[in-house]
Amino acid sequence: MNVMKMLKQAQAMQEKMQQVQAELGQREVEFSAGGGVVTATAKGDGSIAKIRIDPKVVDPSDVGMLEDLVLAAVEGALGKARDMMGEEMGKVTKPLGIPGMNLPLGL
């Protein structure tokens, strides 16, 4: 294979990956825990955008349960964000024949 052609393909892939990463930073996924009483929203770049807690579950005598629900919602939302990123990056790398390229979110 022509080295110049490979370099051009690599550069095009890098540019496309940067574009996809920027787009993913704007997309959001949600995950709820406890039957929807705690919802975490993550962005495609791996950051947490917001956490919503139903006021009915705020019980000062059972903070541990609330902490567990928040943790479950955050972990679920980040998992969905990683899945979304892997899917979108796979679309970029598939034409170059790079199977299963799964880029970490740095988490």
Side-chain angles (χ1 to χ4, degrees), residues 11-27:
Q11 182 179 10
M13 182 180 73
Q14 182 179 17
E15 289 171 4
K16 181 66 176 171
M17 288 174 72
Q18 288 173 340
Q19 176 186 359
V20 169
Q21 285 176 328
E23 291 170 5
L24 285 170
Q26 301 301 311
R27 292 175 58 188

Side-chain angles (χ1 to χ4, degrees), residues 45-102:
D45 63 4
S47 63
I48 296 295
K50 61 187 163 194
I51 294 178
R52 184 186 51 76
I53 300 173
D54 186 332
K56 292 182 276 186
V57 299
V58 179
D59 180 357
S61 66
D62 195 4
V63 174
M65 180 202 60
L66 183 56
E67 291 171 343
D68 290 344
L69 291 173
V70 170
L71 180 61
V74 168
E75 287 178 344
L78 289 176
K80 287 179 83 172
R82 280 190 293 272
D83 292 346
M84 180 174 61
M85 181 179 210
E87 185 178 310
E88 294 300 318
M89 288 301 177
K91 291 176 186 177
V92 174
T93 60
K94 185 177 181 179
L96 294 176
I98 304 172
M101 186 171 184
N102 189 6

Side-chain angles (χ1 to χ4, degrees), residues 28-48:
E28 294 182 346
V29 292
E30 286 186 353
F31 191 89
S32 295
V37 296
V38 175
T39 302
T41 304
K43 291 187 172 194
D45 63 4
S47 63
I48 296 295

